[in-house]
Amino acid sequence: MTKKIITLSLIASCSLFALDISQEEITLDPIVVSSDFREKSLSETSNAITVLSDDEISDKASQSFIETISSVPNVNFSSGASKAKYIQIRGIGERSQFETPMNPSVAIIQDGIDFSHATLGLGMFDVQQVEILRGPQGTVFGANALAGVVVVESNKPTKHTEGHIETTIGNYNTKAIGAAVGGTLIENKLLGRFSIYKNTSDGFITNSYLNRDDTNNINELTTKTKLSWLVKDNHTIDFNILHANIKNGYDAFNFDNSRTTISDEPGKDTQKTDALSIKSTYDFTKTKLISTISTSKSNTQYMYDEDWSYPTFDPSAWTGTDEFLRNNKQTDIDLRLLSNQDARIFNDLSDWTIGAYYKNYEDNLIRNHSWNAQYTSKYKTNNKAIYGQIDTHISDNTTIISGLRVEEIDSNFKDSSNFNTHTQETLVGGKIGINHKISKTNMYYISLSKGYKPGGVNATNAIPNSERTFNTETLWNIDLGTNKSYFENTLITRLNLFYGKRIDQQVKSSFVTNPLSSNTTFDEYYNNAAKAHNYGLETQIDYFINDDISLYTSIGLLRSKFDEYIDANPSSLDVSGRTPAQSPSYQYKTEINYMITKNWNLKTDIEGKGSFYFSNRHNEKANSYKLLNSSITYIEDALTVTLWGKNLTNEKYQTRGFGTFGNNPANDWVTELYTQQGNPRTFGFTLGYDF
């Protein structure tokens, strides 16, 4: 399968680079990308980016946000919770979090608010578009954007009153209802939009011991308020207020890797978030000043039955729970000044941007473990940065992009085991690139970028103090790509080749202390591998065959290797030359959209993913898989009725895996692989009405 996909991808790549067909000078696409300093159309964006527009996400409100974007080339995810919570881009990203405070590798921004530490609060309802940028984004986003960035934009207020009502019913007692309404609140002064969405499901886990089928349930409520104050003709202030209240269950692991558990104390996976962002845009004659401030507070609970069974399961069994209570607070301030056409420099050839950034982040943890004393920790960081970018138009068709960011990070950590540490470092990231337009429908680009991920501290005191901290990771990355359109804009393509060199790669590992006793602990830690590298390609093709049929195809290929790394845990596993965890060698999606009549639309897609290692400390792997999804929609004026099905073939696949330890007393504590299963076949219907 891998060889076939590689062959097809290489053929497609050569064709896209070589094919040059005479065509009309027309606008390539209507999609506007907002994640860079300046808004651009997608066809003019010299970045490895995928944009999910409202047409692609309008029927996905009740789906997991992270699993939805995982169909994007070279974007993967891991669960180990009520549902997927962690993203990896090109094999780079976190897989879980327990004691150790986390500096994310992938930044997630929704409506100007950083949700990188609180992904359960993300939803797909009333979302305008999602932008997924692959590769380091060192200039615009700085720290925590080593692997890439996901930017979520909700629907904005409009002058005219409009709204949307939606309800979903599906198997596993899935029920969802949402409403959004917006319009003018004060004539020529204030626009507003409000949305609310409630999503519930019993989940697909059956607990045979408790005789329940809702121990891994979903219970989520989100509200969003957007206000746009038209202060003057040249001054607008936008407000975004978000509230999320997530009360999910967590009961996913068992001894036979099935969807039936026997735990007596099912876990919880909850999050309560309140967040606010304020963005001021002041357009002067020659420059534009954009000021943004955001603040958020999240309380999370992550608790699970550590023994996965009940006290009388086996004479040698033990019982206990592990609970992690976190309180996260974050404030971000960003001030940036952008030139307008009349303020260009260097002989009126160069647009420029300068800015300053401040971030204050605090993570407070309480860990309650059945067989150990309560553990607490406090982690605080202050980030200060200055940045700038110059876009020099050396001709009407050729632009050189030069960006630089200098960021100082000051961190403090202390815990209840009397370990204290303070670090201060200055990090530099940026980008230099060139893009060249052969025509309005044909552009090439190449860029060299540098990203960074700050060092951190290991919370566990089970390792020596000399190993409690780990170093900053740096990623140098080259992207070479092309955006093209053929046949009067009926065939639109994006192709990107990349190569990345990781220096001091942060690697997560873990070990079990005192197994098979009441003092058993599972300790995670990070250290640094000397070097690693990755390379591959991402390609997307949109083909509008005729007015009724369209085809979408995307492929991601990834080759990622440790150049040299021996795990420091007691097993001393040498993984030099091996692929890091969560790095599938291929991903693909093919979707066909058929407008059967003016009222009936059929959509079918197949998405697949190659095998990958669950962890860097053992050799257990997830199986490759492919999922078949389909929906049929009836449209009558403002009313839509959709019958949908996911994973129609009921494919078995894994979203998280743990190996090299035994947890089953009935099996003599033999070392085994334990996995969390992906979603089975799900189906239902969604009723929507626009007004």
Side-chain angles (χ1 to χ4, degrees):
M1 183 65 178
T2 305
K3 291 181 178 178
K4 290 181 180 179
I5 292 175
I6 292 174
T7 301
L8 291 172
S9 298
L10 291 176
I11 292 173
S13 303
C14 294
S15 300
L16 294 179
F17 270 117
L19 190 59
D20 190 9
I21 300 174
S22 177
Q23 51 205 300
E24 298 177 11
E25 295 293 308
I26 55 177
T27 302
L28 185 58
D29 59 68
I31 298 176
V32 176
V33 175
S34 61
S35 50
D36 206 339
F37 290 127
R38 301 172 188 274
E39 291 187 344
K40 298 178 182 178
S41 67
L42 178 60
S43 61
E44 296 177 327
T45 302
S46 56
N47 221 328
I49 185 172
T50 295
V51 177
L52 303 179
S53 64
D54 56 351
D55 291 337
E56 297 169 278
I57 59 182
S58 60
D59 60 345
K60 296 178 173 60
S62 62
Q63 295 182 29
S64 163
F65 170 81
I66 288 181
E67 291 189 43
T68 299
I69 67 171
S70 72
S71 62
V72 170
N74 286 332
V75 176
N76 199 13
F77 69 93
S78 61
S79 188
S82 61
K83 62 181 186 179
K85 295 168 67 173
Y86 303 96
I87 306 173
Q88 302 86 39
I89 296 180
R90 296 175 178 173
I92 305 173
E94 287 60 53
R95 306 188 303 278
S96 61
Q97 183 181 21
F98 296 97
E99 283 182 304
T100 298
M102 184 173 68
N103 291 316
S105 299
V106 180
I108 304 177
I109 312 296
Q110 175 169 321
D111 299 329
I113 303 167
D114 190 342
F115 271 78
S116 307
H117 297 275
T119 56
L120 275 182
L122 293 165
M124 301 298 292
F125 182 71
D126 202 35
V127 169
Q128 177 183 347
Q129 71 181 33
V130 181
E131 302 170 17
I132 301 100
L133 290 81
R134 297 176 292 265
Q137 308 298 319
T139 307
V140 183
F141 295 96
N144 302 338
L146 179 80
V149 175
V150 179
V151 177
V152 184
E153 292 289 341
S154 300
N155 286 314
K156 299 178 181 179
T158 56
K159 290 184 178 181
H160 301 289
T161 301
E162 62 178 28
H164 176 74
I165 301 173
E166 179 179 305
T167 184
T168 294
I169 297 176
N171 61 336
Y172 298 103
N173 198 27
T174 297
K175 299 175 184 177
I177 186 168
V181 62
T184 296
L185 302 179
I186 301 176
E187 189 70 27
N188 297 323
K189 277 296 180 182
L190 186 65
L191 311 178
R193 187 177 182 90
F194 175 79
S195 70
I196 182 169
Y197 193 75
K198 177 73 172 180
N199 181 33
T200 63
S201 174
D202 286 346
F204 50 82
I205 296 294
T206 298
N207 188 309
S208 61
Y209 176 74
L210 297 176
N211 194 28
R212 289 173 54 187
D213 58 7
D214 63 349
T215 52
N216 202 67
N217 69 302
I218 300 297
N219 185 357
E220 304 173 332
L221 173 69
T222 57
T223 65
K224 292 183 287 189
T225 301
K226 298 177 74 71
L227 300 173
S228 186
W229 179 19
L230 310 177
V231 184
K232 297 180 180 178
D233 291 342
N234 63 340
H235 187 198
T236 302
I237 300 178
D238 296 306
F239 301 84
N240 292 286
I241 305 169
L242 186 142
H243 171 76
N245 192 3
I246 315 298
K247 299 178 181 179
N248 296 347
Y250 175 38
D251 184 29
F253 282 89
N254 52 71
F255 300 133
D256 59 2
N257 297 329
S258 69
R259 296 191 177 104
T260 300
T261 63
I262 56 172
S263 54
D264 64 322
E265 299 178 275
K268 297 179 180 180
D269 191 19
T270 72
Q271 175 185 318
K272 187 175 182 180
T273 296
D274 290 292
L276 165 70
S277 71
I278 304 173
K279 178 182 178 181
S280 169
T281 304
Y282 202 111
D283 198 345
F284 298 95
T285 304
K286 294 185 176 182
T287 59
K288 180 183 296 184
L289 177 64
I290 300 177
S291 310
T292 305
I293 180 170
S294 66
T295 181
S296 63
K297 179 179 180 181
S298 295
N299 293 309
T300 64
Q301 178 190 25
Y302 177 62
M303 189 272 284
Y304 54 91
D305 189 327
E306 196 172 26
D307 57 277
W308 305 345
S309 63
Y310 49 91
T312 58
F313 173 70
D314 186 271
S316 61
W318 56 280
T319 183
T321 61
D322 208 352
E323 180 184 47
F324 300 83
L325 301 171
R326 272 195 165 82
N327 173 266
N328 296 329
K329 301 176 184 178
Q330 182 167 328
T331 299
D332 299 82
I333 301 173
D334 188 278
L335 304 174
R336 64 181 59 163
L337 189 66
L338 296 84
S339 63
N340 289 331
Q341 182 76 22
D342 294 336
R344 285 183 171 180
I345 57 177
F346 303 137
N347 294 322
D348 295 330
L349 296 177
S350 300
D351 297 310
W352 52 267
T353 302
I354 58 172
Y357 170 78
Y358 171 79
K359 168 185 169 180
N360 178 270
Y361 174 73
E362 182 176 322
D363 178 302
N364 297 291
L365 170 69
I366 299 175
R367 181 186 184 186
N368 297 312
H369 190 220
S370 294
W371 303 104
N372 293 281
Q374 185 182 77
Y375 172 85
T376 62
S377 68
K378 177 176 286 189
Y379 180 65
K380 298 178 67 175
T381 66
N382 282 289
N383 297 32
K384 302 173 185 176
I386 55 173
Y387 57 84
Q389 181 168 299
I390 296 177
D391 299 349
T392 302
H393 310 281
I394 59 177
S395 72
D396 290 340
N397 297 323
T398 305
T399 302
I400 296 176
I401 301 171
S402 306
L404 182 69
R405 187 183 188 100
V406 180
E407 189 160 0
E408 180 185 85
I409 302 174
D410 192 299
S411 302
N412 289 279
F413 176 86
K414 62 180 180 179
D415 66 10
S416 54
S417 61
N418 296 318
F419 180 77
N420 299 282
T421 184
H422 169 258
T423 59
Q424 186 174 17
E425 53 185 336
T426 300
L427 305 175
V428 179
K431 173 182 178 179
I432 184 167
I434 183 169
N435 61 63
H436 177 68
K437 296 179 184 177
I438 296 177
S439 67
K440 287 185 178 181
T441 59
N442 191 342
M443 186 183 82
Y444 291 87
Y445 63 86
I446 185 171
S447 65
L448 171 67
S449 56
K450 179 188 178 185
Y452 51 86
K453 180 184 177 184
V457 56
N458 289 309
T460 177
N461 57 15
I463 60 177
N465 283 351
S466 60
E467 303 293 328
R468 291 291 294 270
T469 59
F470 50 93
N471 299 327
T472 291
E473 177 180 350
T474 300
L475 173 62
W476 288 92
N477 190 83
I478 297 174
D479 281 290
L480 170 65
T482 178
N483 308 329
K484 288 188 177 183
S485 174
Y486 308 102
F487 310 123
E488 297 184 350
N489 213 33
T490 60
L491 177 62
I492 302 172
T493 67
R494 294 182 63 84
L495 172 69
N496 187 80
L497 305 173
F498 66 91
Y499 176 85
K501 190 70 174 180
R502 302 175 69 177
I503 301 173
D504 285 331
Q505 177 182 346
Q506 295 177 10
V507 185
K508 182 179 182 179
S509 191
S510 57
F511 58 89
V512 180
T513 305
N514 300 321
L516 317 185
S517 75
S518 61
N519 294 320
T520 297
T521 60
F522 183 84
D523 295 287
E524 64 169 1
Y525 64 94
Y526 286 84
N527 58 11
N528 298 96
K531 293 180 181 179
H533 70 273
N534 62 17
Y535 62 92
L537 69 83
E538 294 114 5
T539 181
Q540 298 167 238
I541 301 174
D542 291 306
Y543 184 26
F544 302 93
I545 300 173
N546 54 43
D547 291 341
D548 300 323
I549 303 175
S550 59
L551 180 68
Y552 168 84
T553 300
S554 68
I555 297 174
L557 296 182
L558 175 65
R559 293 293 181 269
S560 183
K561 298 290 183 182
F562 286 112
D563 294 334
E564 181 180 347
Y565 175 59
I566 299 177
D567 197 324
N569 73 39
S571 65
S572 298
L573 181 65
D574 187 350
V575 295
S576 300
R578 204 189 80 171
T579 302
Q582 297 295 134
S583 303
S585 60
Y586 68 86
Q587 293 177 240
Y588 65 89
K589 180 178 180 179
T590 299
E591 177 181 295
I592 187 167
N593 196 330
Y594 178 34
M595 201 71 192
I596 305 171
T597 69
K598 70 174 185 178
N599 298 107
W600 289 95
N601 177 257
L602 175 66
K603 184 186 296 184
T604 300
D605 69 78
I606 298 176
E607 56 180 286
K609 188 171 296 183
S611 178
F612 55 87
Y613 290 103
F614 286 119
S615 173
N616 298 310
R617 74 177 185 91
H618 56 74
N619 291 315
E620 301 289 358
K621 302 178 75 173
N623 298 326
S624 60
Y625 65 86
K626 56 182 178 293
L627 306 178
L628 173 64
N629 313 301
S630 188
S631 67
I632 185 166
T633 301
Y634 175 76
I635 306 165
E636 183 67 44
D637 296 328
L639 177 70
T640 60
V641 181
T642 301
L643 178 66
W644 51 265
K646 304 294 180 182
N647 189 11
L648 291 175
T649 60
N650 209 25
E651 179 94 353
K652 293 183 179 180
Y653 64 103
Q654 302 83 39
T655 60
R656 190 77 173 100
F658 297 96
T660 68
F661 76 93
N663 203 35
N664 187 355
N667 199 23
D668 296 325
W669 307 96
V670 172
T671 297
E672 298 175 298
L673 169 66
Y674 300 113
T675 60
Q676 181 173 352
Q677 305 306 300
N679 291 4
R681 180 190 298 115
T682 56
F683 53 85
F685 76 89
T686 298
L687 176 68
Y689 182 75
D690 294 293
F691 60 89

